[in-house]
Amino acid sequence: MLSDRRQRVLAALIEEYVACALPVGSRTLTERYQLGVSPATVRNELSVLEDGGYITQPHTSAGRIPTDIGYRAFVDSLLETGFSGDEESGRTAVDELRRSASELDALLEQTSSALTRLTDCLSIVLAPSVLNLHIKQLSLISLTLHRALVVLVTEDGQVFNRQIDFAEPVSPDDLAHVQAFLGDVFTGKSLQQIEEGLEWGMMEALHDPLVRLVLEEVLSCLQESELSRTHRLGVSSLLTKPEFSQSQVLLPVMQVLEDDTVLLHLLDDAVRQADGAPCVRIGRENDAAELAGVSVVASRYGRGESAGVVAVIGPTRMDYSKVIRAVRIASAALQDV
């Protein structure tokens, strides 16, 4: 546990390093920050922090930079003290986000855009899992005798649609019968519940080729939507950071983040956080070696099993205070979706 004074010195060093991306010397801290102690004391505290692994000196003649351990101590202090005083600005930002988009997908895209704008980092918004969304309405619309449109509306207002082609002519009346039957099966249930029910409750109905075809198309529609529920923005923002100024440095990071399995694992901690508090992984705390140079700030939103995640990914030299605040605001904006 760091003393209050060492916390202040560490916080000042991190603030300066975040702003300038250059090693920080004791003179800079003494001249620019009101630490309330002498330059000799600042130098002594920096030595103690270095011995403890909180900061390091990249070159013998240079100043110090934070380590992952130093960032962790700083972030833990931030999360412990909270962000009192910004509730009003947070509410304003939430209201603006909600007014800017009426549909969920548009709101997710607007939220991702706002996160990137506020943090100048890569933002990721994962929509609630389609597998757990409950279906409100299923409609089958005849376009021609050989083609129909299936439209699914979930209880949270999301809309999915898919065209179905028929090898044999299908009349509007036949389609209406299938809609009535599948409407009873789907309404109020999640995809997961429907798939479980197929094993015991619908085998007889599936002998009808038309019912089977429509059912397969509906399930495929939802499953494909599940694979494209990620809104990513801000890769170009990362390229402006000194750490990633060369694209070959950023490329391995982006290749890892394009893998949905890795991404979901990366955000697992936030999904499991029942209270919605931001979850922060710093540098080498990430499992993937390629992510040793980045930090992830993430928070879940929504309720129950269908919760989604908002996240910001940037260099370990990110402005944690600003990013954590932005993620909290975004989570609040999406809380009731």
Side-chain angles (χ1 to χ4, degrees):
M1 177 70 71
L2 292 174
S3 67
D4 288 345
R5 185 165 69 194
R6 285 171 193 157
Q7 281 278 15
R8 290 199 305 274
V9 172
L10 177 62
L13 184 142
I14 288 176
E15 182 178 335
E16 184 66 22
Y17 183 61
V18 166
C20 301
L22 294 170
V24 181
S26 59
R27 178 180 295 180
T28 299
L29 294 179
T30 303
E31 292 176 351
R32 297 186 184 178
Y33 297 87
Q34 303 296 319
L35 297 173
V37 294
S38 68
T41 300
V42 172
R43 287 193 295 272
N44 181 64
E45 297 291 27
L46 289 174
S47 295
V48 173
L49 288 169
E50 187 172 358
D51 290 342
Y54 295 93
I55 60 177
T56 188
Q57 197 169 19
H59 308 289
T60 53
S61 60
R64 276 93 163 182
I65 64 174
T67 64
D68 289 354
I69 295 172
Y71 284 127
R72 170 50 61 194
F74 175 70
V75 167
D76 286 347
S77 177
L78 270 180
L79 294 174
E80 185 179 332
T81 55
F83 294 84
S84 58
D86 67 24
E87 288 84 358
E88 187 58 42
S89 61
R91 278 195 296 270
T92 301
V94 167
D95 290 342
E96 287 177 358
L97 274 174
R98 286 176 172 166
R99 281 197 301 269
S100 68
S102 56
E103 293 185 0
L104 179 62
D105 280 339
L107 179 57
L108 297 181
E109 196 70 21
Q110 291 279 9
T111 302
S112 183
S113 177
L115 272 176
T116 296
R117 188 171 61 252
L118 289 169
T119 65
D120 201 26
C121 292
L122 172 66
S123 70
I124 295 176
V125 180
L126 292 180
S129 172
V130 172
L131 300 178
N132 294 309
L133 295 177
H134 286 75
I135 293 165
K136 180 179 181 180
Q137 181 180 338
L138 180 146
S139 299
L140 293 172
I141 302 166
S142 180
L143 302 176
T144 70
L145 291 178
H146 290 275
R147 177 170 294 177
L149 179 69
V150 57
V151 180
L152 282 173
V153 181
T154 63
E155 289 183 353
D156 70 343
Q158 296 187 66
V159 179
F160 305 94
N161 60 75
R162 184 184 183 93
Q163 286 194 14
I164 306 175
D165 292 316
F166 306 117
E168 302 292 331
V170 176
S171 72
D173 286 343
D174 289 340
L175 210 56
H177 288 308
V178 174
Q179 174 181 308
F181 173 74
L182 290 181
D184 290 339
V185 171
F186 276 64
T187 302
K189 296 185 180 68
S190 68
L191 174 59
Q192 194 166 0
Q193 290 171 330
I194 292 166
E195 289 182 326
E196 290 169 356
L198 290 179
E199 298 176 5
W200 55 268
M202 288 184 58
M203 297 312 296
E204 251 185 66
L206 292 182
H207 290 309
D208 183 330
L210 182 57
V211 171
R212 188 166 61 247
L213 173 62
V214 173
L215 180 62
E216 287 172 355
E217 292 290 343
V218 168
L219 294 178
S220 295
C221 175
L222 290 173
Q223 287 161 346
E224 286 175 12
S225 298
E226 178 73 7
L227 298 176
S228 59
R229 308 302 292 159
T230 307
H231 297 258
R232 293 180 178 90
L233 286 174
V235 175
S236 58
S237 296
L238 291 187
L239 285 169
T240 67
K241 309 298 181 188
E243 296 89 339
F244 303 123
S245 57
Q246 297 180 330
S247 58
Q248 62 265 33
V249 178
L250 182 59
L251 184 60
V253 175
M254 296 313 303
Q255 287 174 332
V256 169
L257 295 179
E258 286 297 321
D259 186 328
D260 285 338
T261 302
V262 174
L263 184 61
L264 290 172
H265 180 65
L266 186 66
L267 303 177
D268 262 353
D269 289 347
V271 174
R272 289 196 298 265
Q273 200 90 341
D275 60 359
C279 174
V280 184
R281 280 193 181 183
I282 299 168
R284 288 178 176 81
E285 294 175 359
N286 294 303
D287 293 336
E290 295 87 345
L291 302 181
V294 305
S295 289
V296 182
V297 179
S299 178
R300 65 177 279 158
Y301 67 87
R303 295 181 175 83
E305 295 178 345
S306 60
V309 177
V310 293
V312 168
I313 299 177
T316 54
R317 187 192 56 83
M318 67 163 59
D319 187 336
Y320 289 94
S321 179
K322 178 192 289 185
V323 170
I324 292 171
R325 184 179 290 109
V327 166
R328 288 181 61 192
I329 289 171
S331 177
L334 298 171
Q335 188 58 39
D336 296 324
V337 300

